[in-house]
Amino acid sequence: MNDGHSRQRVSEASHFNNPDWLMPREAYVSEAWFQREQERLFSRSWNYVGVVGEYQAPGDYICTQVGLHPLVVLKGQDGRLRAFHNLCRHRGAPLFEGRGNVGRKIACPYHRWVYDLRGSLEGVPCRDVNYPDMQMADYGLHPAALACFRGLVFVHPDPAADFSAWIGEFTADAWPFDRDDLECALAIEYGFRCNWKLAMENALDTYHLAFLHKAGIGSGPTGDPRFFLRPWRLFQRHAYQVRDTELFADGRDMDSYMPIDPPLAHHAEFKSDQYLLFPNLFTGAQPSGLILMHVVPESAERCEVVFQFFVAPYCEEQVRGRFRGTMQKLLPGTELSPPDHTRPWTIRVDSLDRVNKPAMEAGEITLEDMWMMERLQRSMHAPHVQIGPLSPLGETAQIQHFHRAVLASLDEVA
């Protein structure tokens, strides 16, 4: 398939000989396809970039790459969050790196142009001889759009982007509590050697849970693998699946294995739900808290998968203790990176090569997913790979919904 901008239909053979699988093979292996996604999908979408509580003090910031656009979210002296393109107006030098606190002013490291926390240009060295007629107001940082939803922060490269149009009717069915009700107990960053869509498809696939994760999840609280095969409600782009509050015998909820006795008092009747916020944020909400899974594309065959665990304050140490013990056994020498005021406790898992036992014997669900997704990625190159019949409840509807949203963003026809 060429890289032209016209809408086009892809041959059935490129869909792994299964018309129910709407994404062609090249969507998983082609760098040209990946660049098209960066330009047409992510550069034109709302993207998750942290939670409100991560920006505590004036000057706190987090950088993010949104498609082709380097952006930064910054807290001002007035307490307001703003988003900007992370580019100095002089020569385009990046003004921020990573995350942290910039202080009261933003100074470009290249030529020391200085901006305030509202993005306005305040100082230019040698202005009297270099730019005597400069109108400083014309050279503020380029703004980007920012919106907050249930305590989550989203940005869009276009300052005129409409968040309400993107989130749509999903708001009526979202989890009932703000993220600010909870504390971030832990973040785990995984380096997956697979296309980002494989990670998202896997998160939407509930058919595999009782089988790939037979040690950690098994057949669920009922002992019947059909427990996981429940319908999804599909919106224009987003989706969610409602689950029951049934528990495992040891008192853990089925998604996060976080203690929920007692649950958050005012959410005791809340069911356990899963949500897709298109394009690349997956959340699991339980009476005890919220898990965020953010899938960050890095190349056609690599992505970063970041989990954040938000729980009631009484659960923090329990959640950290569980993961600390597991990771230290599997990855000798692994330590939690201590938090600061902009970052929670963090564990980094760069690759399965560091794991000291086979992933399928590790007893850690995400390592099992990582192991399988990396093998599926290799299969994308196999000439004879095909996709057989899909599970109607466990795979078809929600994965097709995701595929259609991706293809629509790229002006492709399934």
Side-chain angles (χ1 to χ4, degrees):
M1 189 173 73
N2 63 49
D3 291 337
H5 293 276
S6 62
R7 294 169 65 87
Q8 49 196 293
R9 186 174 299 277
V10 187
S11 69
E12 182 175 303
S14 70
H15 292 274
F16 308 99
N17 290 318
N18 184 340
D20 290 334
W21 193 266
L22 306 183
M23 201 63 64
R25 180 196 303 265
E26 67 182 300
Y28 302 94
V29 299
S30 166
E31 285 297 334
W33 185 285
F34 176 80
Q35 289 304 318
R36 227 169 23 248
E37 289 177 339
Q38 293 298 297
E39 177 184 349
R40 301 185 204 173
L41 196 169
F42 289 99
S43 292
R44 301 174 184 176
S45 295
W46 287 90
N47 287 255
Y48 168 72
V49 62
V51 299
V52 171
E54 293 179 275
Y55 306 87
Q56 295 186 12
D60 283 354
Y61 69 87
I62 297 178
C63 296
T64 187
Q65 185 73 27
V66 177
L68 305 180
H69 303 277
L71 303 182
V72 62
V73 175
L74 175 67
K75 187 167 188 173
Q77 294 288 351
D78 56 0
R80 179 181 168 189
L81 293 180
R82 297 177 176 85
F84 301 103
H85 289 257
N86 186 15
L87 302 166
C88 180
R89 291 298 308 278
H90 178 214
R91 296 276 297 279
L95 298 168
F96 302 84
E97 298 288 342
R99 58 195 296 159
N101 187 284
V102 74
R104 299 178 62 86
K105 303 291 180 183
I106 307 161
C108 178
Y110 198 4
H111 298 95
R112 301 299 292 181
W113 283 32
V114 175
Y115 306 82
D116 66 18
L117 299 188
R118 294 173 179 264
S120 300
L121 182 63
E122 280 198 343
V124 175
C126 309
R127 179 185 169 193
D128 57 340
V129 294
N130 284 329
Y131 314 105
D133 300 321
M134 173 182 275
Q135 300 298 310
M136 301 280 278
D138 293 339
Y139 292 93
L141 299 180
H142 288 303
L146 181 144
C148 297
F149 176 74
R150 296 288 198 270
L152 311 184
V153 180
F154 295 89
V155 292
H156 193 297
D158 180 357
D162 184 349
F163 183 79
S164 61
W166 176 78
I167 198 70
E169 61 182 349
F170 176 83
T171 55
D173 291 288
W175 53 95
F177 47 92
D178 282 354
R179 206 289 315 166
D180 289 341
D181 291 350
L182 311 172
E183 298 292 336
C184 187
L186 182 68
I188 308 181
E189 302 168 347
Y190 297 87
F192 276 48
R193 296 174 183 173
C194 72
N195 185 274
W196 71 278
K197 294 183 292 298
L198 286 180
M200 291 300 295
E201 292 157 4
N202 181 68
L204 290 165
D205 172 359
T206 59
Y207 185 33
H208 81 281
L209 294 176
F211 310 110
L212 180 65
H213 307 308
K214 60 184 178 181
I217 292 179
S219 297
T222 66
D224 185 341
R226 289 174 293 184
F227 173 81
F228 299 108
L229 303 181
R230 305 196 177 198
W232 289 69
R233 182 172 181 187
L234 307 178
F235 300 90
Q236 182 179 359
R237 304 173 186 85
H238 315 302
Y240 90 98
Q241 182 193 45
V242 180
R243 293 178 171 177
D244 288 342
T245 53
E246 296 171 289
L247 304 179
F248 288 96
D250 61 0
R252 298 178 296 179
D253 73 348
M254 65 182 213
D255 286 328
S256 65
Y257 290 77
M258 296 189 297
I260 68 167
D261 184 20
L264 295 174
H266 53 303
H267 305 309
E269 301 303 317
F270 175 59
K271 290 180 179 290
S272 176
D273 291 3
Q274 294 194 91
Y275 302 84
L276 162 68
L277 284 170
F278 184 82
N280 60 335
L281 183 67
F282 195 86
T283 74
Q286 299 89 33
S288 60
L290 188 70
I291 299 174
L292 301 181
M293 184 185 100
H294 187 210
V295 180
V296 183
E298 294 183 339
S299 70
E301 303 196 57
R302 285 183 179 268
C303 64
E304 182 172 88
V305 179
V306 181
F307 284 86
Q308 291 176 291
F309 298 84
F310 294 97
V311 297
Y314 58 79
C315 293
E316 283 188 84
E317 284 302 324
Q318 293 168 292
V319 172
R320 275 198 294 272
R322 173 190 173 242
F323 281 102
R324 180 191 292 117
T326 299
M327 290 302 182
Q328 286 177 339
K329 290 178 182 177
L330 299 176
L331 302 163
T334 294
E335 294 293 340
L336 285 170
S337 298
D340 58 32
H341 70 283
T342 65
R343 190 176 182 88
W345 291 94
T346 303
I347 295 173
R348 177 77 190 174
V349 183
D350 291 309
S351 78
L352 289 173
D353 297 339
R354 292 184 54 219
V355 181
N356 64 2
K357 63 169 62 177
M360 292 305 296
E361 299 176 11
E364 207 281 319
I365 291 171
T366 307
L367 292 181
E368 293 170 350
D369 283 332
M370 191 173 176
W371 178 85
M372 181 54 68
M373 292 309 98
E374 294 186 1
R375 278 148 184 78
L376 282 182
Q377 183 64 43
R378 292 201 291 269
S379 294
M380 295 296 103
H381 294 277
H384 290 284
V385 67
Q386 296 183 0
I387 291 177
L390 302 177
S391 165
L393 287 176
E395 297 171 304
T396 307
Q398 59 269 31
I399 291 178
Q400 284 186 346
H401 181 68
F402 172 67
H403 285 177
R404 289 191 179 99
V406 172
L407 294 170
S409 299
L410 302 180
D411 298 323
E412 298 282 348
V413 177

